[in-house]
Protein backbone atom coordinates (compact mmCIF):
# COMPACT_ATOMS: atom_id res chain seq x y z
CA UNK A 1 0.00 0.00 0.00
CA UNK A 2 2.86 2.34 0.88
CA UNK A 3 4.57 1.70 -2.48
CA UNK A 4 1.33 2.39 -4.35
CA UNK A 5 0.85 5.65 -2.44
CA UNK A 6 4.38 6.77 -3.27
CA UNK A 7 3.83 5.91 -6.93
CA UNK A 8 0.56 7.84 -7.11
CA UNK A 9 2.10 10.79 -5.32
CA UNK A 10 5.02 10.83 -7.75
CA UNK A 11 2.60 11.03 -10.67
CA UNK A 12 1.36 14.29 -9.23
CA UNK A 13 4.59 15.73 -7.80
CA UNK A 14 7.03 15.01 -10.66
CA UNK A 15 5.08 16.86 -13.40
CA UNK A 16 4.53 19.76 -10.98
CA UNK A 17 8.23 19.84 -10.07
CA UNK A 18 9.29 19.72 -13.70
CA UNK A 19 6.93 22.54 -14.59
CA UNK A 20 8.21 24.60 -11.69
CA UNK A 21 11.96 23.99 -11.92
CA UNK A 22 12.38 22.89 -15.58
CA UNK A 23 9.38 24.37 -17.41
CA UNK A 24 10.96 23.94 -20.83
CA UNK A 25 12.36 20.42 -20.43
CA UNK A 26 9.76 18.71 -22.60
CA UNK A 27 10.22 21.28 -25.38
CA UNK A 28 13.99 20.90 -25.09
CA UNK A 29 13.62 17.13 -25.52
CA UNK A 30 11.41 17.60 -28.59
CA UNK A 31 13.94 20.03 -30.05
CA UNK A 32 16.78 17.55 -29.50
CA UNK A 33 14.68 14.91 -31.27
CA UNK A 34 14.25 17.37 -34.17
CA UNK A 35 18.00 17.92 -34.29
CA UNK A 36 18.58 14.15 -34.48
CA UNK A 37 16.02 13.83 -37.30
CA UNK A 38 17.67 16.67 -39.19
CA UNK A 39 21.12 15.12 -38.85
CA UNK A 40 19.89 11.67 -39.90
CA UNK A 41 18.13 13.09 -42.96
CA UNK A 42 21.15 15.15 -43.97
CA UNK A 43 23.64 12.28 -43.54
CA UNK A 44 21.42 9.80 -45.39
CA UNK A 45 21.07 12.18 -48.33
CA UNK A 46 24.80 12.87 -48.36
CA UNK A 47 25.42 9.14 -48.80
CA UNK A 48 23.10 8.73 -51.78
CA UNK A 49 24.60 7.93 -55.18
CA UNK A 50 24.40 9.56 -57.62
CA UNK A 51 24.76 12.70 -55.50
CA UNK A 52 21.49 14.12 -54.20
CA UNK A 53 20.77 17.87 -54.46
CA UNK A 54 17.82 20.28 -54.14
CA UNK A 55 16.88 19.68 -57.77
CA UNK A 56 16.59 15.95 -57.06
CA UNK A 57 14.17 16.68 -54.23
CA UNK A 58 12.09 18.79 -56.63
CA UNK A 59 12.06 15.93 -59.14
CA UNK A 60 11.00 13.55 -56.35
CA UNK A 61 8.07 15.81 -55.49
CA UNK A 62 7.14 16.09 -59.16
CA UNK A 63 7.13 12.32 -59.59
CA UNK A 64 5.14 11.74 -56.39
CA UNK A 65 2.66 14.64 -56.74
CA UNK A 66 2.72 15.85 -60.37
CA UNK A 67 -0.66 17.63 -60.25
CA UNK A 68 -0.25 19.26 -56.84
CA UNK A 69 -0.20 23.05 -56.89
CA UNK A 70 3.35 24.33 -56.49
CA UNK A 71 3.07 28.06 -57.32
CA UNK A 72 0.08 30.38 -57.32
CA UNK A 73 0.72 33.83 -58.76
CA UNK A 74 -2.05 36.37 -59.24
CA UNK A 75 -4.60 34.49 -61.37
CA UNK A 76 -2.22 31.76 -62.50
CA UNK A 77 -1.52 28.37 -60.94
CA UNK A 78 1.33 25.96 -61.68
CA UNK A 79 1.60 22.36 -60.55
CA UNK A 80 4.90 20.62 -59.83
CA UNK A 81 4.66 19.06 -63.29
CA UNK A 82 4.00 22.47 -64.88
CA UNK A 83 7.10 23.88 -63.19
CA UNK A 84 9.16 20.89 -64.29
CA UNK A 85 8.08 21.17 -67.92
CA UNK A 86 8.43 24.95 -68.01
CA UNK A 87 11.94 24.76 -66.59
CA UNK A 88 12.77 22.05 -69.16
CA UNK A 89 11.69 24.38 -71.96
CA UNK A 90 13.85 27.22 -70.62
CA UNK A 91 16.82 24.88 -70.17
CA UNK A 92 16.46 23.42 -73.68
CA UNK A 93 16.12 26.89 -75.23
CA UNK A 94 19.17 28.16 -73.38
CA UNK A 95 21.20 25.07 -74.23
CA UNK A 96 20.42 25.61 -77.92
CA UNK A 97 21.79 29.15 -77.80
CA UNK A 98 25.34 29.60 -79.03
CA UNK A 99 25.81 32.33 -76.39
CA UNK A 100 25.32 29.99 -73.43
CA UNK A 101 28.25 27.93 -72.20
CA UNK A 102 27.15 24.83 -70.23
CA UNK A 103 27.87 25.12 -66.52
CA UNK A 104 28.72 28.83 -66.57
CA UNK A 105 27.52 31.16 -63.84
CA UNK A 106 24.31 33.01 -64.68
CA UNK A 107 23.18 36.20 -62.94
CA UNK A 108 19.42 36.60 -62.40
CA UNK A 109 18.18 40.19 -62.37
CA UNK A 110 14.44 39.71 -62.03
CA UNK A 111 11.60 40.56 -59.69
CA UNK A 112 9.27 38.10 -57.97
CA UNK A 113 7.46 36.06 -60.60
CA UNK A 114 7.12 32.35 -61.48
CA UNK A 115 9.68 32.76 -64.29
CA UNK A 116 12.32 33.46 -61.63
CA UNK A 117 11.72 30.04 -60.07
CA UNK A 118 11.42 28.23 -63.40
CA UNK A 119 14.68 29.82 -64.57
CA UNK A 120 16.53 28.76 -61.42
CA UNK A 121 15.29 25.18 -61.84
CA UNK A 122 16.32 25.28 -65.51
CA UNK A 123 19.82 26.46 -64.65
CA UNK A 124 20.10 23.79 -61.95
CA UNK A 125 19.29 21.20 -64.60
CA UNK A 126 22.06 22.66 -66.77
CA UNK A 127 24.56 22.60 -63.90
CA UNK A 128 24.93 26.39 -63.76
CA UNK A 129 25.49 28.28 -60.49
CA UNK A 130 23.15 31.28 -60.18
CA UNK A 131 23.90 34.75 -58.78
CA UNK A 132 20.77 36.28 -57.27
CA UNK A 133 21.03 40.00 -57.98
CA UNK A 134 19.04 42.60 -56.08
CA UNK A 135 16.92 44.16 -58.81
CA UNK A 136 16.92 47.51 -56.96
CA UNK A 137 20.65 48.11 -57.40
CA UNK A 138 22.06 50.23 -60.19
CA UNK A 139 25.23 51.21 -62.06
CA UNK A 140 28.44 50.62 -60.08
CA UNK A 141 26.88 48.24 -57.54
CA UNK A 142 25.19 46.19 -60.26
CA UNK A 143 28.40 45.80 -62.25
CA UNK A 144 30.30 44.88 -59.09
CA UNK A 145 27.76 42.21 -58.11
CA UNK A 146 27.82 40.81 -61.60
CA UNK A 147 31.59 40.69 -61.89
CA UNK A 148 32.52 39.29 -58.48
CA UNK A 149 30.86 35.94 -59.21
CA UNK A 150 32.44 35.66 -62.68
CA UNK A 151 29.03 35.46 -64.34
CA UNK A 152 29.04 35.04 -68.12
CA UNK A 153 25.29 35.42 -68.67
CA UNK A 154 22.82 38.02 -67.38
CA UNK A 155 19.13 37.23 -67.31
CA UNK A 156 17.26 40.54 -67.82
CA UNK A 157 19.24 43.77 -67.92
CA UNK A 158 19.43 47.55 -67.65
CA UNK A 159 20.55 49.62 -70.60
CA UNK A 160 22.74 51.83 -68.37
CA UNK A 161 25.24 49.00 -67.80
CA UNK A 162 25.13 47.50 -71.30
CA UNK A 163 28.38 49.06 -72.57
CA UNK A 164 30.36 47.68 -69.63
CA UNK A 165 28.78 44.24 -69.98
CA UNK A 166 29.54 44.15 -73.70
CA UNK A 167 33.18 44.93 -72.99
CA UNK A 168 33.27 41.87 -70.71
CA UNK A 169 31.75 39.67 -73.42
CA UNK A 170 28.63 38.99 -71.35
CA UNK A 171 25.60 37.34 -72.99
CA UNK A 172 22.28 38.93 -72.02
CA UNK A 173 18.87 37.28 -72.28
CA UNK A 174 15.51 38.98 -71.80
CA UNK A 175 12.23 37.24 -71.05
CA UNK A 176 10.30 39.16 -73.71
CA UNK A 177 8.98 38.34 -77.18
CA UNK A 178 10.76 41.28 -78.77
CA UNK A 179 13.74 43.42 -77.86
CA UNK A 180 15.08 46.23 -80.04
CA UNK A 181 18.11 46.95 -77.87
CA UNK A 182 21.35 45.80 -79.52
CA UNK A 183 23.26 43.30 -77.42
CA UNK A 184 20.21 41.75 -75.73
CA UNK A 185 18.64 38.51 -76.94
CA UNK A 186 14.95 37.87 -76.47
CA UNK A 187 14.35 34.29 -75.36
CA UNK A 188 10.57 34.04 -74.99
CA UNK A 189 9.89 32.79 -78.53
CA UNK A 190 12.66 30.21 -78.26
CA UNK A 191 11.28 29.00 -74.93
CA UNK A 192 7.78 28.60 -76.36
CA UNK A 193 9.13 26.58 -79.28
CA UNK A 194 11.54 24.49 -77.19
CA UNK A 195 10.93 20.90 -76.14
CA UNK A 196 9.79 20.19 -72.58
CA UNK A 197 11.63 16.87 -72.54
CA UNK A 198 13.84 16.19 -69.48
CA UNK A 199 17.51 17.07 -69.67
CA UNK A 200 20.16 14.38 -69.23
CA UNK A 201 21.76 14.06 -65.82
CA UNK A 202 25.18 14.19 -67.49
CA UNK A 203 24.81 17.97 -67.85
CA UNK A 204 25.26 18.32 -64.11
CA UNK A 205 27.51 15.34 -63.45
CA UNK A 206 30.41 17.71 -62.68
CA UNK A 207 28.65 19.09 -59.60
CA UNK A 208 29.91 18.20 -56.12
CA UNK A 209 28.75 19.24 -52.67
CA UNK A 210 31.38 21.99 -52.68
CA UNK A 211 30.24 23.42 -56.02
CA UNK A 212 28.53 26.84 -55.68
CA UNK A 213 24.77 26.55 -56.09
CA UNK A 214 23.85 30.21 -55.66
CA UNK A 215 25.53 33.49 -54.79
CA UNK A 216 23.47 35.60 -52.40
CA UNK A 217 24.57 39.17 -51.83
CA UNK A 218 25.04 40.67 -48.42
CA UNK A 219 26.14 44.19 -47.53
CA UNK A 220 29.34 44.72 -45.60
CA UNK A 221 32.07 47.16 -44.76
CA UNK A 222 33.64 47.11 -48.21
CA UNK A 223 31.26 49.72 -49.55
CA UNK A 224 29.83 47.22 -52.05
CA UNK A 225 27.75 44.06 -51.62
CA UNK A 226 29.61 40.79 -51.05
CA UNK A 227 28.63 37.58 -52.83
CA UNK A 228 28.19 34.91 -50.16
CA UNK A 229 28.89 31.50 -51.66
CA UNK A 230 26.07 29.04 -50.93
CA UNK A 231 27.27 25.64 -52.10
CA UNK A 232 25.20 22.52 -52.67
CA UNK A 233 26.12 21.12 -49.27
CA UNK A 234 24.67 24.20 -47.57
CA UNK A 235 21.45 23.94 -49.57
CA UNK A 236 21.22 20.26 -48.61
CA UNK A 237 21.55 21.28 -44.94
CA UNK A 238 18.81 23.86 -45.50
CA UNK A 239 16.53 21.17 -46.93
CA UNK A 240 16.99 19.01 -43.84
CA UNK A 241 16.44 21.94 -41.46
CA UNK A 242 13.37 23.18 -43.32
CA UNK A 243 11.82 19.70 -43.09
CA UNK A 244 11.37 20.38 -39.36
CA UNK A 245 10.10 23.96 -39.41
CA UNK A 246 6.47 23.04 -38.80
CA UNK A 247 5.36 23.37 -42.42
CA UNK A 248 3.65 20.44 -44.17
CA UNK A 249 2.50 19.55 -47.67
CA UNK A 250 -1.01 20.73 -46.77
CA UNK A 251 0.17 24.30 -46.14
CA UNK A 252 -0.13 27.34 -48.40
CA UNK A 253 2.92 29.55 -47.81
CA UNK A 254 2.64 33.29 -48.55
CA UNK A 255 5.86 34.50 -50.17
CA UNK A 256 6.13 38.27 -50.55
CA UNK A 257 9.79 38.70 -49.61
CA UNK A 258 12.20 39.23 -52.54
CA UNK A 259 13.54 36.04 -54.07
CA UNK A 260 17.07 37.46 -54.18
CA UNK A 261 17.05 37.45 -50.36
CA UNK A 262 18.12 34.46 -48.29
CA UNK A 263 14.73 34.43 -46.56
CA UNK A 264 12.76 34.60 -49.79
CA UNK A 265 14.89 32.17 -51.78
CA UNK A 266 15.88 29.51 -49.25
CA UNK A 267 12.97 29.58 -46.81
CA UNK A 268 10.25 30.74 -49.20
CA UNK A 269 11.24 28.82 -52.35
CA UNK A 270 13.58 25.96 -51.40
CA UNK A 271 11.53 25.19 -48.25
CA UNK A 272 8.35 24.22 -50.16
CA UNK A 273 10.45 22.05 -52.48
CA UNK A 274 11.33 20.02 -49.38
CA UNK A 275 7.87 20.00 -47.78
CA UNK A 276 5.72 19.88 -50.91
CA UNK A 277 3.82 22.98 -49.84
CA UNK A 278 2.11 25.45 -52.17
CA UNK A 279 3.76 28.85 -52.68
CA UNK A 280 1.45 31.85 -52.87
CA UNK A 281 3.79 34.25 -54.65
CA UNK A 282 3.41 38.02 -54.67
CA UNK A 283 5.54 40.59 -56.53
CA UNK A 284 6.23 42.55 -53.36
CA UNK A 285 4.98 43.09 -49.85
CA UNK A 286 1.79 45.09 -49.38
CA UNK A 287 0.47 45.67 -45.87
CA UNK A 288 -2.95 46.73 -47.16
CA UNK A 289 -3.36 43.58 -49.28
CA UNK A 290 -1.69 41.10 -46.93
CA UNK A 291 -4.72 39.71 -45.07
CA UNK A 292 -7.02 39.94 -48.11
CA UNK A 293 -4.52 37.72 -49.95
CA UNK A 294 -4.35 35.34 -46.99
CA UNK A 295 -8.13 34.97 -47.04
CA UNK A 296 -8.34 34.71 -50.83
CA UNK A 297 -5.71 31.97 -51.11
CA UNK A 298 -6.36 30.19 -47.80
CA UNK A 299 -2.84 30.96 -46.61
CA UNK A 300 -1.76 28.96 -43.55
CA UNK A 301 1.92 29.99 -43.21
CA UNK A 302 3.47 33.44 -43.59
CA UNK A 303 7.05 34.66 -43.58
CA UNK A 304 8.20 37.87 -42.00
CA UNK A 305 11.08 40.10 -41.24
CA UNK A 306 10.62 42.32 -38.22
CA UNK A 307 9.28 45.22 -40.23
CA UNK A 308 6.55 43.11 -41.85
CA UNK A 309 4.71 42.46 -38.60
CA UNK A 310 5.05 46.11 -37.59
CA UNK A 311 3.63 47.24 -40.92
CA UNK A 312 0.70 44.88 -40.46
CA UNK A 313 0.07 46.20 -36.96
CA UNK A 314 0.19 49.77 -38.32
CA UNK A 315 -2.69 49.25 -40.77
CA UNK A 316 -6.19 50.48 -39.81
CA UNK A 317 -8.00 47.95 -37.63
CA UNK A 318 -10.78 45.91 -39.21
CA UNK A 319 -13.55 43.77 -37.83
CA UNK A 320 -12.22 40.78 -39.74
CA UNK A 321 -8.60 41.02 -38.53
CA UNK A 322 -8.83 37.53 -37.02
CA UNK A 323 -10.77 36.05 -39.94
CA UNK A 324 -8.05 33.99 -41.62
CA UNK A 325 -6.46 30.53 -41.60
CA UNK A 326 -2.87 31.56 -40.83
CA UNK A 327 -1.51 29.27 -38.11
CA UNK A 328 2.25 29.87 -38.34
CA UNK A 329 4.48 32.91 -38.92
CA UNK A 330 8.23 32.39 -39.07
CA UNK A 331 11.05 34.81 -39.66
CA UNK A 332 13.39 37.06 -37.73
CA UNK A 333 13.80 40.54 -36.35
CA UNK A 334 10.50 41.21 -34.60
CA UNK A 335 10.57 43.27 -31.41
CA UNK A 336 8.78 41.95 -28.33
CA UNK A 337 6.14 44.69 -28.22
CA UNK A 338 5.25 44.17 -31.90
CA UNK A 339 5.11 40.41 -31.32
CA UNK A 340 2.58 40.90 -28.52
CA UNK A 341 0.53 43.37 -30.52
CA UNK A 342 0.49 41.05 -33.53
CA UNK A 343 -0.87 38.15 -31.48
CA UNK A 344 -3.43 40.31 -29.70
CA UNK A 345 -4.77 41.78 -32.91
CA UNK A 346 -4.57 38.92 -35.41
CA UNK A 347 -5.24 35.93 -33.19
CA UNK A 348 -3.59 32.75 -32.01
CA UNK A 349 -0.77 32.44 -34.54
CA UNK A 350 2.40 30.56 -33.65
CA UNK A 351 5.31 32.95 -34.15
CA UNK A 352 8.54 31.03 -34.70
CA UNK A 353 11.42 33.48 -34.50
CA UNK A 354 14.86 32.34 -35.63
CA UNK A 355 18.38 33.69 -36.04
CA UNK A 356 20.59 32.96 -39.04
CA UNK A 357 22.69 34.71 -41.65
CA UNK A 358 23.42 34.06 -45.31
CA UNK A 359 27.07 33.17 -44.81
CA UNK A 360 27.03 32.21 -41.12
CA UNK A 361 27.60 28.72 -39.73
CA UNK A 362 25.28 28.77 -36.74
CA UNK A 363 21.60 29.47 -36.21
CA UNK A 364 18.97 29.44 -33.48
CA UNK A 365 15.25 28.87 -33.41
CA UNK A 366 12.83 29.96 -30.71
CA UNK A 367 11.04 26.64 -30.43
CA UNK A 368 9.52 27.60 -27.08
CA UNK A 369 7.76 30.73 -28.31
CA UNK A 370 9.35 33.01 -25.71
CA UNK A 371 8.41 36.51 -26.82
CA UNK A 372 11.45 38.60 -27.75
CA UNK A 373 13.97 35.74 -27.93
CA UNK A 374 15.62 34.45 -31.12
CA UNK A 375 16.35 31.04 -29.67
CA UNK A 376 17.38 28.98 -26.69
CA UNK A 377 20.77 27.67 -25.62
CA UNK A 378 20.74 23.89 -25.84
CA UNK A 379 23.55 21.56 -24.74
CA UNK A 380 23.29 19.19 -27.73
CA UNK A 381 23.04 22.05 -30.22
CA UNK A 382 26.09 23.71 -28.68
CA UNK A 383 28.09 20.48 -28.90
CA UNK A 384 27.26 20.01 -32.56
CA UNK A 385 27.80 23.68 -33.45
CA UNK A 386 30.18 25.19 -30.88
CA UNK A 387 29.56 28.90 -30.32
CA UNK A 388 29.99 31.47 -27.61
CA UNK A 389 29.47 35.14 -26.85
CA UNK A 390 32.63 37.17 -26.26
CA UNK A 391 33.14 40.64 -24.85
CA UNK A 392 33.28 43.34 -27.51
CA UNK A 393 34.66 46.88 -27.37
CA UNK A 394 32.24 48.96 -29.44
CA UNK A 395 34.47 52.03 -29.23
CA UNK A 396 37.52 50.23 -30.64
CA UNK A 397 35.29 48.02 -32.82
CA UNK A 398 37.08 44.81 -31.83
CA UNK A 399 36.83 41.88 -29.38
CA UNK A 400 38.26 42.35 -25.89
CA UNK A 401 41.28 40.10 -25.24
CA UNK A 402 43.02 39.15 -21.99
CA UNK A 403 46.72 39.36 -21.14
CA UNK A 404 47.34 36.09 -23.02
CA UNK A 405 45.68 37.42 -26.17
CA UNK A 406 42.55 35.28 -25.91
CA UNK A 407 38.97 36.54 -26.10
CA UNK A 408 36.92 36.82 -22.92
CA UNK A 409 33.56 35.05 -22.81
CA UNK A 410 30.59 37.16 -21.77
CA UNK A 411 28.77 36.26 -18.57
CA UNK A 412 25.08 35.40 -18.60
CA UNK A 413 23.03 38.54 -18.94
CA UNK A 414 25.90 40.41 -20.65
CA UNK A 415 25.83 41.40 -24.29
CA UNK A 416 28.57 39.81 -26.37
CA UNK A 417 29.70 39.19 -29.92
CA UNK A 418 28.44 35.88 -31.30
CA UNK A 419 31.25 33.74 -32.67
CA UNK A 420 30.90 30.14 -33.87
CA UNK A 421 33.63 27.59 -34.38
CA UNK A 422 34.43 26.70 -38.00
CA UNK A 423 34.30 22.91 -38.35
CA UNK A 424 33.54 20.31 -41.02
CA UNK A 425 29.95 20.21 -39.78
CA UNK A 426 29.76 24.01 -39.53
CA UNK A 427 31.95 25.38 -42.33
CA UNK A 428 32.34 28.97 -43.45
CA UNK A 429 32.73 29.13 -47.22
CA UNK A 430 33.17 32.89 -47.50
CA UNK A 431 32.68 35.39 -50.29
CA UNK A 432 33.32 35.02 -54.00
CA UNK A 433 36.41 36.79 -55.32
CA UNK A 434 36.94 38.50 -51.98
CA UNK A 435 39.49 36.78 -49.78
CA UNK A 436 40.09 39.99 -47.83
CA UNK A 437 36.49 40.20 -46.61
CA UNK A 438 36.38 36.42 -46.10
CA UNK A 439 39.41 36.65 -43.82
CA UNK A 440 37.81 39.51 -41.86
CA UNK A 441 35.03 37.12 -40.89
CA UNK A 442 37.53 34.60 -39.53
CA UNK A 443 38.51 35.13 -35.90
CA UNK A 444 41.62 33.30 -34.72
CA UNK A 445 42.94 32.37 -31.27
CA UNK A 446 39.55 32.98 -29.67
CA UNK A 447 39.62 30.65 -26.64
CA UNK A 448 42.88 28.83 -27.29
CA UNK A 449 45.83 29.06 -29.63
CA UNK A 450 45.10 27.93 -33.15
CA UNK A 451 41.31 27.79 -32.98
CA UNK A 452 39.20 29.39 -35.73
CA UNK A 453 35.77 30.99 -35.36
CA UNK A 454 33.27 32.79 -37.58
CA UNK A 455 32.68 36.39 -36.56
CA UNK A 456 28.94 36.98 -36.93
CA UNK A 457 29.19 40.74 -36.47
CA UNK A 458 26.11 40.51 -34.22
CA UNK A 459 25.76 41.28 -30.53
CA UNK A 460 23.53 38.89 -28.58
CA UNK A 461 22.67 38.21 -24.94
CA UNK A 462 21.82 35.02 -23.03
CA UNK A 463 19.54 35.35 -19.99
CA UNK A 464 19.42 33.24 -16.80
CA UNK A 465 16.83 30.93 -18.37
CA UNK A 466 19.11 30.23 -21.35
CA UNK A 467 17.10 32.22 -23.87
CA UNK A 468 19.17 34.13 -26.39
CA UNK A 469 18.29 37.62 -27.63
CA UNK A 470 19.54 39.67 -30.56
CA UNK A 471 20.83 43.04 -29.38
CA UNK A 472 22.51 44.89 -32.25
CA UNK A 473 24.89 44.79 -35.22
CA UNK A 474 28.50 45.91 -35.04
CA UNK A 475 30.76 47.51 -37.61
CA UNK A 476 29.66 49.51 -40.58
CA UNK A 477 26.38 47.81 -41.41
CA UNK A 478 22.92 48.56 -40.12
CA UNK A 479 19.49 47.26 -41.10
CA UNK A 480 16.57 49.31 -42.38
CA UNK A 481 13.36 48.26 -44.17
CA UNK A 482 14.55 44.65 -44.09
CA UNK A 483 17.77 45.45 -45.96
CA UNK A 484 21.38 45.63 -44.80
CA UNK A 485 22.90 49.02 -45.53
CA UNK A 486 26.67 49.34 -45.91
CA UNK A 487 27.62 52.77 -44.59
CA UNK A 488 30.76 53.10 -46.67
CA UNK A 489 28.82 52.46 -49.89
CA UNK A 490 26.39 55.25 -49.03
CA UNK A 491 29.29 57.53 -48.04
CA UNK A 492 31.02 56.83 -51.36
CA UNK A 493 27.87 57.80 -53.23
CA UNK A 494 27.45 61.00 -51.21
CA UNK A 495 31.00 62.14 -51.86
CA UNK A 496 30.37 61.88 -55.60
CA UNK A 497 28.13 64.93 -55.23
CA UNK A 498 29.76 68.21 -56.29
CA UNK A 499 29.44 69.98 -52.94
CA UNK A 500 30.32 67.21 -50.45
CA UNK A 501 33.92 66.69 -49.36
CA UNK A 502 33.48 63.97 -46.70
CA UNK A 503 30.61 61.86 -45.43
CA UNK A 504 30.24 59.75 -42.30
CA UNK A 505 27.18 57.49 -42.54
CA UNK A 506 25.56 55.69 -39.61
CA UNK A 507 22.22 54.37 -38.43
CA UNK A 508 20.05 55.97 -35.77
CA UNK A 509 17.12 54.44 -33.94
CA UNK A 510 13.58 55.75 -34.41
CA UNK A 511 10.93 55.01 -31.76
CA UNK A 512 8.40 52.52 -33.10
CA UNK A 513 10.56 51.44 -36.04
CA UNK A 514 12.62 48.30 -36.58
CA UNK A 515 16.35 48.62 -37.20
CA UNK A 516 18.08 51.95 -37.77
CA UNK A 517 17.45 54.65 -40.34
CA UNK A 518 20.33 56.15 -42.30
CA UNK A 519 21.90 59.44 -41.28
CA UNK A 520 24.97 61.19 -42.66
CA UNK A 521 27.29 63.77 -41.15
CA UNK A 522 28.86 65.61 -44.09
CA UNK A 523 31.50 68.27 -44.62
CA UNK A 524 31.04 70.65 -47.55
CA UNK A 525 33.87 71.42 -49.95
CA UNK A 526 35.65 74.72 -49.48
CA UNK A 527 33.96 77.45 -51.48
CA UNK A 528 30.88 75.30 -52.13
CA UNK A 529 27.38 75.45 -50.63
CA UNK A 530 25.15 72.62 -49.57
CA UNK A 531 22.40 72.27 -52.18
CA UNK A 532 19.49 70.28 -50.68
CA UNK A 533 17.63 69.74 -53.97
CA UNK A 534 20.69 68.51 -55.85
CA UNK A 535 21.67 66.18 -53.01
CA UNK A 536 18.14 64.77 -53.00
CA UNK A 537 18.29 64.10 -56.75
CA UNK A 538 21.75 62.59 -56.35
CA UNK A 539 20.82 60.04 -53.67
CA UNK A 540 17.57 59.11 -55.42
CA UNK A 541 19.50 58.46 -58.64
CA UNK A 542 22.19 56.31 -57.09
CA UNK A 543 20.69 54.60 -54.03
CA UNK A 544 17.67 52.39 -53.41
CA UNK A 545 15.09 53.91 -51.07
CA UNK A 546 16.16 51.94 -48.00
CA UNK A 547 19.78 53.13 -48.30
CA UNK A 548 19.10 56.85 -48.73
CA UNK A 549 20.13 58.93 -45.70
CA UNK A 550 16.93 60.18 -44.12
CA UNK A 551 18.84 62.84 -42.14
CA UNK A 552 21.88 64.92 -43.05
CA UNK A 553 23.98 66.82 -40.52
CA UNK A 554 26.38 69.51 -41.74
CA UNK A 555 29.77 69.67 -39.99
CA UNK A 556 32.89 71.72 -40.57
CA UNK A 557 34.91 68.51 -40.70
CA UNK A 558 34.21 64.80 -40.24
CA UNK A 559 35.85 63.68 -36.99
CA UNK A 560 38.34 60.82 -37.12
CA UNK A 561 40.52 58.86 -34.70
CA UNK A 562 44.32 58.91 -34.63
CA UNK A 563 44.29 56.03 -37.08
CA UNK A 564 41.89 57.91 -39.36
CA UNK A 565 38.81 55.87 -38.51
CA UNK A 566 35.61 57.89 -38.56
CA UNK A 567 34.00 58.46 -35.17
CA UNK A 568 30.43 57.26 -35.13
CA UNK A 569 29.56 56.44 -31.51
CA UNK A 570 28.88 60.00 -30.37
CA UNK A 571 27.01 60.83 -33.56
CA UNK A 572 24.75 57.82 -33.06
CA UNK A 573 24.06 58.87 -29.45
CA UNK A 574 23.15 62.41 -30.49
CA UNK A 575 20.79 61.14 -33.17
CA UNK A 576 18.72 63.69 -35.08
CA UNK A 577 17.33 65.88 -32.28
CA UNK A 578 17.68 69.56 -33.32
CA UNK A 579 17.33 70.53 -29.65
CA UNK A 580 20.62 68.79 -28.82
CA UNK A 581 22.58 69.44 -32.00
CA UNK A 582 23.94 72.82 -32.95
CA UNK A 583 24.91 71.77 -36.48
CA UNK A 584 22.43 72.38 -39.32
CA UNK A 585 20.14 69.38 -39.76
CA UNK A 586 18.10 68.32 -42.78
CA UNK A 587 15.47 65.66 -43.42
CA UNK A 588 14.72 63.98 -46.73
CA UNK A 589 11.32 65.14 -48.01
CA UNK A 590 9.92 63.06 -50.88
CA UNK A 591 7.00 65.42 -51.42
CA UNK A 592 9.09 68.50 -52.21
CA UNK A 593 11.91 66.38 -53.68
CA UNK A 594 14.57 67.98 -51.52
CA UNK A 595 16.23 67.89 -48.13
CA UNK A 596 14.45 70.41 -45.89
CA UNK A 597 15.56 71.91 -42.56
CA UNK A 598 14.86 69.71 -39.53
CA UNK A 599 12.65 71.43 -36.96
CA UNK A 600 11.58 70.63 -33.42
CA UNK A 601 8.03 70.16 -34.68
CA UNK A 602 9.11 67.55 -37.25
CA UNK A 603 11.30 65.83 -34.65
CA UNK A 604 8.42 65.58 -32.16
CA UNK A 605 6.13 64.24 -34.86
CA UNK A 606 8.65 61.49 -35.66
CA UNK A 607 9.37 60.38 -32.09
CA UNK A 608 5.67 60.37 -31.13
CA UNK A 609 4.72 58.28 -34.14
CA UNK A 610 2.85 61.00 -35.99
CA UNK A 611 5.25 60.80 -38.93
CA UNK A 612 6.30 57.41 -40.25
CA UNK A 613 9.60 56.98 -42.06
Amino acid sequence: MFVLSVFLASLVIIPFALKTFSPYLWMDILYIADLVRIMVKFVSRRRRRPLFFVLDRFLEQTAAHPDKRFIVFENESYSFMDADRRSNKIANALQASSKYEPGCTVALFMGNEPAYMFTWLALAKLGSPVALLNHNIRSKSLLHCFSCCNAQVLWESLEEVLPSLREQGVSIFLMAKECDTPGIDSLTDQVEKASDSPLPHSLRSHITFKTPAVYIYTSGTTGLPKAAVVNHNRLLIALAVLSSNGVTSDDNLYLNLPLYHTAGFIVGFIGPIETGSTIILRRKFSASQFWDDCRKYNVTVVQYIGEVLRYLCSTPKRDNDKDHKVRLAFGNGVRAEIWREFLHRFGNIEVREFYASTEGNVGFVNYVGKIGAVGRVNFIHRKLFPYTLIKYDTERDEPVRDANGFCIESAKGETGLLVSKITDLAPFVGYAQNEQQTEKKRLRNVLKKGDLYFNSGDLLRIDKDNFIYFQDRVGDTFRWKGENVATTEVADILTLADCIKEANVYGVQIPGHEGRVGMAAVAVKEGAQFDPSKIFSHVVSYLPSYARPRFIRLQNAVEVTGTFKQLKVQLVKEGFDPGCIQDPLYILDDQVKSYTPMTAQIYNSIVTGGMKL
Side-chain angles (χ1 to χ4, degrees), residues 46-104:
R46 280 272 306 197
R47 290 177 175 174
R48 289 176 63 169
R49 295 295 181 273
L51 299 182
F52 184 90
F53 302 114
V54 170
L55 175 62
D56 298 295
R57 180 57 178 155
F58 169 77
L59 295 175
E60 281 185 350
Q61 294 284 19
T62 301
H65 314 286
D67 299 322
K68 188 180 188 305
R69 290 191 314 170
F70 179 41
I71 303 168
V72 176
F73 180 72
E74 296 174 350
N75 295 319
E76 301 171 341
S77 180
Y78 302 90
S79 67
F80 276 91
M81 181 60 75
D82 293 333
D84 185 39
R85 288 174 174 168
R86 187 68 183 177
S87 62
N88 285 343
K89 289 172 76 71
I90 294 172
N92 283 316
L94 191 56
Q95 188 183 24
S97 171
S98 61
K99 295 186 177 181
Y100 169 76
E101 182 181 331
C104 72

Side-chain angles (χ1 to χ4, degrees), residues 431-443:
Y431 308 108
Q433 306 293 312
N434 201 332
E435 181 56 32
Q436 181 182 7
Q437 289 302 314
T438 298
E439 184 58 32
K440 281 187 177 181
K441 281 292 187 179
R442 297 183 181 123
L443 200 58

